[in-house]
Amino acid sequence: MMTPAVLAVVTLELIAACVIALQAVLHINRMSRDTRLCVFGGWVLLGGSAAAVVAGVLAGKTHPDFYSATVMLGVALVLIADRRRG
């Protein structure tokens, strides 16, 4: 059984990974044929790694880490706060 602190970290990781994956899908959908391949590849890798975290948490194969959860939360907040469109 997980302690409340571990459950909070896992929940934080799950929410952050869902936000990152959703933002990656939205950015990829807005891309055109003129988008540089490295930009496209970056968003694919970011979204794919976030989706892998979500799948790992839902499958129960996760190793809660406060530092990685904090980094994922920071990336998710940056993606939400970014108001540039293009």
Side-chain angles (χ1 to χ4, degrees):
M1 176 133 185
M2 284 196 256
T3 64
V6 172
L7 185 62
V9 170
V10 170
T11 304
L12 181 68
E13 283 183 338
L14 182 65
I15 291 170
C18 286
V19 168
I20 293 169
L22 177 66
Q23 288 292 322
V25 168
L26 294 175
H27 276 82
I28 290 171
N29 283 336
R30 283 196 305 259
M31 291 181 187
S32 69
R33 290 179 180 229
D34 297 330
T35 303
R36 291 176 294 173
L37 185 59
C38 63
V39 173
F40 175 75
W43 279 108
V44 167
L45 288 173
L46 188 63
S49 61
V53 169
V54 171
V57 169
L58 294 179
K61 299 188 188 295
T62 184
H63 301 287
D65 180 19
F66 181 72
Y67 299 111
S68 64
T70 305
V71 169
M72 288 178 56
L73 178 64
V75 170
L77 291 175
V78 166
L79 292 177
I80 290 172
D82 185 21
R83 295 291 176 208
R84 293 178 291 169
R85 301 289 177 225

